[in-house]
């Protein structure tokens, strides 16, 4: 969905499912990760994805990324209803960081015998305005995984939203052969994912960080044109070496959330800690938590700096809309 410089205004790249949920004349720049990836990959620059259960965290992250001119991903945690969460994220983006390229992410873990339910949930997420859908199929039989992923991802792919498939097996996803075999299975079912995701643990020391970065680099090379997304806690030792490893998107592993939790009021802290419960016990993000906003901001800013993500927003703007329309 890319275009030559100056051919389309930046906000024209917002998916229809996003525009229909925004206020008239809103400048919240919620884009598909599919559109953000090409210019960032070409420049070898990663983008952060932050788990964001609280409006205070959304606001702090948007402010930090606006200051650093970094593109940003905000993740919907399990247990939150997507519609009010989207509304909170869009309102914060409109108020604090208009025209800053942002993508909104959600994950679906397909349960055994639960493909139909996962397809219905994917439809709800797409209709709610989410622009990046991650599908995890490691809980279902091996022979059914690729077909299930293709079924669940179909609606997002048809609407030109980004689709990520998580390599089953946790740390085994750091095996390049395992990752490429999974990609080939997906392609065999007609799914060309925009990214593959791998779950990793935080390295315990410098040598482990270097070893993990080398393993990630090997997977990224093996996947060729398919970008790689790293999920899970990273830690300060790993972040600086992820950019040369060729990782396109880096999840914060809830580092930003954990940094601000001690400053939250007790009820807010408990709600944030319980957000992953099954169902939809949390109907919308808690509204307060302003006491932790400074801590959220500091952690988000440090993450952007350590990743080398500063300036990535301008790369996206130039690639999509041309320099004369840069905000």
């Amino acid at each position: 969905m890319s275009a030559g410089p100056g051919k389309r205004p930046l906000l024209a790249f917002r998916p229809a499912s996003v525009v229909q949920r925004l206020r008239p004349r809103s400048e919240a720049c919620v884009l598909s990760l599919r559109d953000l990836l090409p210019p960032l990959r070409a420049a070898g620059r990663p983008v952060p994805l932050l788990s964001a259960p609280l409006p205070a965290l959304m606001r702090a992250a948007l402010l930090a990324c606006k200051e650093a001119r970094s593109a940003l991903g905000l993740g919907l945690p399990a247990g939150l209803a997507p519609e009010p969460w989207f509304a909170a994220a869009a309102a914060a983006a409109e108020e604090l960081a208009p025209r800053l390229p942002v993508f909104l992410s959600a994950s679906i873990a397909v349960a055994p015998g639960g493909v139909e339910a996962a397809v219905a949930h994917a439809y709800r997420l797409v209709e709610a305005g989410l622009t990046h859908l991650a599908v995890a199929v490691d809980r279902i039989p091996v022979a059914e995984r690729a077909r299930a992923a293709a079924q669940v991802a179909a609606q997002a792919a048809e609407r030109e939203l980004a689709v990520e498939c998580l390599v089953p097996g946790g740390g085994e996803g750091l095996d390049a052969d395992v990752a490429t075999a999974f990609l080939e299975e997906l392609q065999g079912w007609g799914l060309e994912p925009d990214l593959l995701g791998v779950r990793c643990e935080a390295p315990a020391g410098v040598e482990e960080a270097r070893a993990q970065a080398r393993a990630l680099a090997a997977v990224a090379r093996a996947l060729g044109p398919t970008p790689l997304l790293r999920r899970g806690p990273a830690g300060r030792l790993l972040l600086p070496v992820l950019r040369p490893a060729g990782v396109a998107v880096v999840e914060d592993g809830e580092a930003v959330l954990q940094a601000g939790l001690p400053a939250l009021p007790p009820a807010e802290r408990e709600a944030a800690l319980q957000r992953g419960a099954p169902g939809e016990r949390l109907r919308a993000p808690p509204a307060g938590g302003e006491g932790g906003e400074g801590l959220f901001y500091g952690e988000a800013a440090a993450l952007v700096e350590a990743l080398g993500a500063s300036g990535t927003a301008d790369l996206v703007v130039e690639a999509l809309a041309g320099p004369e329309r840069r905000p």
Side-chain angles (χ1 to χ4, degrees):
M1 194 194 284
S2 61
K7 295 204 177 168
R8 293 174 64 185
L10 177 65
L11 298 181
F13 286 86
R14 297 178 300 189
S17 55
V18 168
V19 174
Q20 68 187 13
R21 289 194 164 270
L22 295 176
R23 298 194 318 166
R25 294 180 293 281
S26 171
E27 291 195 330
C29 191
V30 179
L31 304 178
S32 170
L33 180 56
R34 179 178 292 188
D35 285 327
L36 271 66
L37 283 172
L40 301 183
R41 289 208 82 202
R45 306 286 293 280
V47 62
L49 169 58
L50 312 184
S51 177
L54 303 169
L57 192 157
M58 295 174 182
R59 294 170 60 86
L62 285 161
L63 285 170
C65 287
K66 178 183 178 181
E67 183 174 311
R69 296 301 304 153
S70 171
L72 171 66
L74 295 174
L76 168 71
L80 285 179
E83 296 85 359
W85 184 88
F86 173 90
E94 179 180 358
E95 177 190 356
L96 302 173
R99 302 178 70 84
L100 184 81
V102 175
F103 68 95
L104 301 181
S105 175
S107 298
I108 296 178
V110 185
V115 173
E116 185 175 338
V119 169
H121 188 44
Y123 177 80
R124 182 181 179 186
L125 293 170
V126 168
E127 288 294 306
L130 281 292
T131 60
H132 166 223
L133 191 64
V135 182
V137 292
D138 44 348
R139 295 172 58 194
I140 63 177
V142 174
E144 301 173 15
R145 287 174 177 173
R147 180 174 62 177
Q151 289 177 279
V152 175
Q155 296 170 81
E158 288 170 3
R159 300 200 197 186
E160 298 188 334
L161 305 177
V163 171
E164 170 198 352
C165 293
L166 278 72
V167 180
E172 293 179 10
L174 287 177
D175 184 315
D177 291 337
V178 171
T180 53
F182 183 56
L183 177 60
E184 289 170 0
E185 288 180 53
L186 296 170
Q187 292 168 334
W189 283 99
L191 176 61
E192 196 67 54
D194 297 281
L195 311 95
L196 280 196
V198 292
R199 294 189 183 92
C200 304
E201 298 295 328
V206 174
E207 290 306 315
E208 279 192 23
R210 291 173 178 166
Q212 188 175 125
R214 288 193 296 270
L216 288 164
V219 173
R221 286 194 301 270
L223 294 178
T226 303
L228 183 64
L229 190 156
R230 184 198 181 277
R231 291 187 174 271
R236 296 296 173 88
L237 295 174
L238 183 65
L239 292 174
V241 295
L242 285 179
R243 178 176 172 181
V247 179
V249 182
V250 179
E251 187 186 47
D252 75 325
E254 298 193 343
V256 176
L257 175 64
Q258 295 299 326
L261 276 181
L264 295 180
E268 302 278 344
R269 188 184 313 125
E270 181 63 21
L273 290 172
Q274 294 298 323
R275 69 200 175 285
E280 292 180 0
R281 185 148 52 93
L282 300 180
R283 296 298 304 178
E290 297 303 319
E293 193 162 330
L295 295 174
F296 292 144
Y297 174 90
E299 188 67 23
L303 176 65
V304 168
E305 181 179 3
L307 279 178
S310 299
T312 51
D314 293 326
L315 294 175
V316 172
V317 173
E318 287 194 20
L320 296 183
E324 70 275 22
R325 288 189 170 88
R326 183 187 305 172

